[in-house]
Amino acid sequence: QVQLVESGGGLVQAGGSLRLSCAASGSIFSFGTMGWYRQAPGKQRELVARITSGGSTNYADSVKGRFTISRDNAKNTAYLEMNSLKPEDTAVYYCRLVVATPYDYWGQGTQVTVSS
């Protein structure tokens, strides 16, 4: 019933910026915690940032000060603003919606590649 679609990935130079978007099709978006995760080839998927329904945020140490997560409940959309990108940020970025019941939804991912 709920689908998440990421967009905004691409190729950037080190030090550049990208803004990822995650659009949710369902009406349950506003009740859940949204998270951004990333996975590089051959590596485990890791949490990048998350934001609760009340607006509380958490970030991985590796992206603190560089990435900003936000959400617009009226548009059923979450965002990840990425600045000062580094080659080690290269990965497929996924959004995730978790709602207490519990429901757990994942998007298909969007590729971010940062050249050195």
Side-chain angles (χ1 to χ4, degrees):
Q1 185 175 12
V2 174
Q3 291 185 332
L4 305 177
V5 180
E6 302 93 337
S7 61
L11 174 64
V12 299
Q13 298 284 334
S17 299
L18 284 173
R19 193 187 196 209
L20 306 183
S21 298
C22 176
S25 63
S27 61
I28 200 172
F29 178 87
S30 63
F31 298 101
T33 293
M34 286 295 308
W36 284 98
Y37 294 73
R38 66 187 182 188
Q39 187 169 26
K43 298 182 179 180
Q44 292 184 319
R45 188 170 299 186
E46 63 177 349
L47 173 68
V48 176
R50 59 187 169 202
I51 183 168
T52 69
S53 60
S56 179
T57 59
N58 297 98
Y59 297 92
D61 288 340
S62 59
V63 306
K64 284 182 179 178
R66 300 189 297 121
F67 291 10
T68 302
I69 188 171
S70 61
R71 66 192 298 165
D72 185 340
N73 289 342
K75 296 181 179 179
N76 283 2
T77 302
Y79 306 93
L80 184 68
E81 182 180 348
M82 305 184 293
N83 300 310
S84 301
L85 284 162
K86 304 174 181 179
E88 50 263 45
D89 294 318
T90 296
V92 177
Y93 284 71
Y94 300 88
C95 63
R96 181 192 187 190
L97 171 64
V98 178
V99 182
T101 295
Y103 294 105
D104 190 348
Y105 303 96
W106 289 88
Q108 294 294 319
T110 184
Q111 177 69 48
V112 172
T113 303
V114 185
S115 61
S116 60

